[in-house]
């Protein structure tokens, strides 16, 4: 499955509009639901009216015949489709997706320098809680010893989405696995908006194709076009060696790093803090 197309084919902008229109109920805009409605969400003419554009123009957008709506049109569509800040930004990126002119420069912008990467690895090693360094594609670029031990026994461990969907023990390790799975898909989806010519989409395409082929859950949720970015989350894990853990996951942005983030897992209660003391000794890989 190519990240540049949706479940019904066509341009990514068109696929996104179709998916999000289906999720908005008429009552949310104080429109009469009516017994004769043939669609659960908004009709195309209703989106056009709410966005302040013609129905013909909106139809062209959904059919992929028009791919570059103006900023004013994008703002109107965001209001009509009740998009939150993350989804509205994603829509803006889709609207200018063809403007990436220099793929090589785009790839360079996503990398961290060798010196900075080494410094971040030093920072990870100094943290007293489990921590990972991940990039835009959720590749696990680095980890401190506690971060390794927290996820011991789970393979593959090169990418967090692969870990969640493909590691045999993941559904029992993550006590709220279905919700986490949806978040992982939505986090990857949020990375697909900024340029179909971007080298990162080539990597995302491969990852999405792999996960779609190997996981029915991933394939189903990917088609829903959910988007998700977080600054903090709460995790409950069932570690095979030290039992149930309650952790607050903090997402620390690294400015100027091409989208790299540190995930730090802080104990949410005293029992977890005590249990983490048991994650000592040789790192299990």
């Amino acid at each position: 499955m190519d990240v540049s197309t949706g479940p019904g084919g066509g341009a990514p902008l068109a696929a996104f509009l179709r998916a999000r229109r289906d999720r908005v109920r008429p009552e949310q805009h104080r429109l009469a639901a009516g017994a004769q409605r043939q669609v659960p969400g908004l009709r195309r003419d209703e989106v056009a009216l709410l966005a302040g554009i013609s129905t013909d123009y909106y139809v062209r957008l959904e059919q992929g015949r028009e791919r570059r709506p103006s900023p004013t049109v994008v703002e109107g569509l965001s209001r009509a489709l009740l998009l939150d800040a993350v989804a509205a930004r994603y829509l803006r990126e889709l609207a200018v997706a063809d403007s990436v002119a220099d793929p090589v420069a785009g790839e360079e912008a996503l990398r961290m320098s060798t010196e900075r990467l080494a410094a971040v690895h030093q920072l990870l090693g100094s943290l007293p809680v489990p921590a990972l360094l991940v990039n835009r594609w959720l590749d696990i670029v680095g980890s401190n010893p506690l971060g390794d031990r927290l996820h011991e026994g789970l393979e593959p461990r090169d990418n967090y989405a692969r870990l969640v969907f493909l590691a045999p023990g993941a559904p029992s390790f993550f006590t709220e696995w279905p919700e986490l799975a949806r978040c992982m898909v939505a986090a990857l989806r949020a990375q697909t908006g900024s340029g179909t010519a971007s080298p990162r989409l080539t990597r995302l395409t491969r990852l999405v194709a792999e996960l779609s082929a190997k996981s029915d859950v991933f394939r189903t949720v990917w088609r829903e076009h959910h988007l998700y970015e977080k600054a903090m989350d709460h995790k409950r894990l069932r570690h095979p060696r030290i039992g149930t853990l309650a952790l607050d996951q903090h997402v620390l942005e690294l400015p100027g790093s091409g989208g790299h983030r540190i995930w730090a897992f802080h104990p949410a209660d005293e029992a977890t803090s005590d249990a983490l003391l048991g994650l000592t000794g040789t790192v299990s890989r």
Side-chain angles (χ1 to χ4, degrees):
M1 184 179 297
D2 191 327
V3 299
S4 66
T5 60
L13 174 63
F16 180 70
L17 292 175
R18 290 193 299 266
R20 298 305 291 240
R21 176 168 63 87
D22 288 343
R23 291 169 54 181
V24 182
R25 296 297 174 261
E27 310 88 75
Q28 293 177 278
H29 280 293
R30 299 184 179 179
L31 298 174
Q36 302 303 315
R37 295 187 70 91
Q38 297 180 344
V39 294
L42 295 178
R43 297 192 301 261
R44 288 172 170 176
D45 63 313
E46 291 171 331
V47 175
L49 176 65
L50 291 165
I53 58 179
S54 71
T55 299
D56 178 67
Y57 182 73
Y58 181 74
V59 169
R60 295 204 306 272
L61 286 170
E62 273 208 9
Q63 292 178 343
R65 293 186 288 128
E66 172 60 57
R67 302 188 181 194
R68 297 294 299 277
S70 69
T72 300
V73 170
V74 170
E75 289 181 14
L77 290 171
S78 295
R79 292 193 303 271
L81 298 174
L82 302 178
L83 303 183
D84 60 18
V86 173
R89 187 190 70 207
Y90 179 78
L91 179 59
R92 290 194 298 270
E93 291 177 346
L94 288 178
V96 297
D98 295 331
S99 64
V100 177
D102 189 347
V104 175
E107 178 72 5
E108 289 296 324
L110 297 174
R111 294 175 180 164
M112 273 203 295
S113 68
T114 302
E115 293 79 8
R116 188 173 186 195
L117 187 58
V120 173
H121 278 291
Q122 283 189 319
L123 174 62
L124 285 177
S126 70
L127 294 177
V129 297
L132 306 176
L133 175 65
V134 300
N135 64 15
R136 289 180 179 270
W137 306 277
L138 303 182
D139 293 332
I140 300 175
V141 179
S143 176
N144 66 3
L146 280 175
D148 277 323
R149 294 165 191 160
L150 180 65
H151 297 91
E152 64 187 15
L154 295 174
E155 297 291 346
R157 217 186 310 171
D158 61 330
N159 178 281
Y160 213 82
R162 283 196 186 95
L163 183 152
V164 169
F165 285 100
L166 304 184
S172 59
F173 179 81
F174 298 103
T175 62
E176 297 171 333
W177 186 87
E179 179 61 25
L180 175 62
R182 292 178 69 84
C183 289
M184 286 291 103
V185 176
L188 285 177
R189 171 66 76 177
Q191 297 303 320
T192 66
S194 55
T196 54
S198 172
R200 81 180 188 211
L201 281 194
T202 302
R203 296 179 62 178
L204 268 179
T205 297
R206 290 197 295 263
L207 179 60
V208 169
E210 176 191 358
L211 295 177
S212 296
K214 295 179 179 179
S215 169
D216 292 339
V217 173
F218 183 93
R219 184 168 58 252
T220 298
V221 178
W222 180 257
R223 293 182 176 130
E224 297 174 358
H225 285 256
H226 291 290
L227 298 160
Y228 179 65
E229 289 186 359
K230 62 187 175 184
M232 182 178 175
D233 202 359
H234 186 72
K235 292 279 191 296
R236 291 190 65 85
L237 311 178
R238 190 177 295 110
H239 195 276
R241 187 152 58 86
I242 59 175
T244 300
L245 305 172
L247 297 163
D248 289 325
Q249 179 186 353
H250 298 269
V251 178
L252 309 177
E253 298 277 355
L254 298 175
S257 69
H260 287 73
R261 300 169 174 88
I262 291 176
W263 290 359
F265 299 88
H266 191 274
D269 55 37
E270 187 173 347
T272 297
S273 184
D274 292 341
L276 287 178
L277 295 176
L279 290 181
T280 58
T282 303
V283 176
S284 176
R285 292 293 293 189

